[in-house]
Each structure stands twice: as C-alpha cells, then as structure tokens.
Amino acid sequence: MSALRLALQMALGIALPLALQLWDRRRLTTEQRNACWNGATWGAALYAFGPLSMLGWCWVTRGVQRGRLIARRTRRWRAAAALGLGVASTSAIVLVMSGIDYLVALALGLPP
C-alpha cells in the first residue's frame, strides 16, 4: 500500500503543477508567453522538481523581463512579487498533495 501512496504522490507532484501552469499560461500576455520555457525545459522542470517548479515558472513568466528599461525599484518589486507568488503556489500544491495523501491513507485504513 505504501507503493500506491508513493505512486500517487509522484503523479500528483507532476500533474498538479502542470495543470496550474497550463491554466496560468492561457492567462499570460504575449510577452510573458514568449518568455516561457520550451517543451523540453518545462517537462524537465516538472519531472525533476515537481511542485518546486512553480518557483521557476513564476520567475520566468513574471520576474524581471529582459530587454526592458524599467526602474530598479520596479525590478525589485517584480522580482519579489514573482518569488512570493512562486512560494505561495508551491505551498498550496504541497498542502493539496498532503490532504489527498491523508484521505487515501484513511480510505485504505493505513496510518497517516
């Protein structure tokens, strides 16, 4: 049964960030979409880092955009906001994964 829980955690660790990133990608501006990862980088980030890939995703799509002249204060604010959003979304995904694991453990009669 622990193998089932491990497989579920691995699947959720890839599927939940992917679903959130796909949803977010549809909402991005053209400039932000052009700054996104290509398919190989995106897949590698999801596979290797799972929920932590949200940090990179938020940085790439909302961090300081290269090639634009903006004030230093604005760049710092955008960087802090991007990292804060990444931490918040990563935390939310981990909490959802923990809740699902807890419910599966209860359903199977295993200790949580």
Side-chain angles (χ1 to χ4, degrees):
M1 290 298 169
S2 12
L4 173 67
R5 288 176 67 187
L6 176 65
L8 179 65
Q9 286 295 316
M10 290 174 63
L12 287 174
I14 294 172
L16 290 176
L18 175 63
L20 187 58
Q21 290 170 9
L22 285 172
W23 172 78
D24 187 43
R25 187 179 174 107
R26 284 183 294 210
R27 300 176 51 240
L28 297 176
T29 64
T30 305
E31 180 184 358
Q32 290 172 320
R33 206 172 301 118
N34 290 337
C36 285
W37 294 324
N38 63 26
T41 305
W42 197 0
L46 285 168
Y47 178 73
F49 300 110
L52 290 175
S53 69
M54 291 304 297
L55 292 168
W57 175 261
C58 291
W59 177 259
V60 167
T61 58
R62 289 176 178 78
V64 179
Q65 302 294 324
R66 283 144 183 77
R68 292 180 48 189
L69 295 174
I70 53 177
R72 181 173 290 181
R73 176 185 270 170
T74 305
R75 282 187 296 197
R76 287 183 183 152
W77 168 249
R78 287 184 72 177
L83 290 176
L85 184 61
V87 168
S89 57
T90 299
S91 300
I93 289 172
V94 169
L95 284 173
V96 169
M97 288 173 57
S98 297
I100 292 173
D101 181 55
Y102 183 77
L103 292 175
V104 167
L106 288 178
L108 295 175
L110 299 172

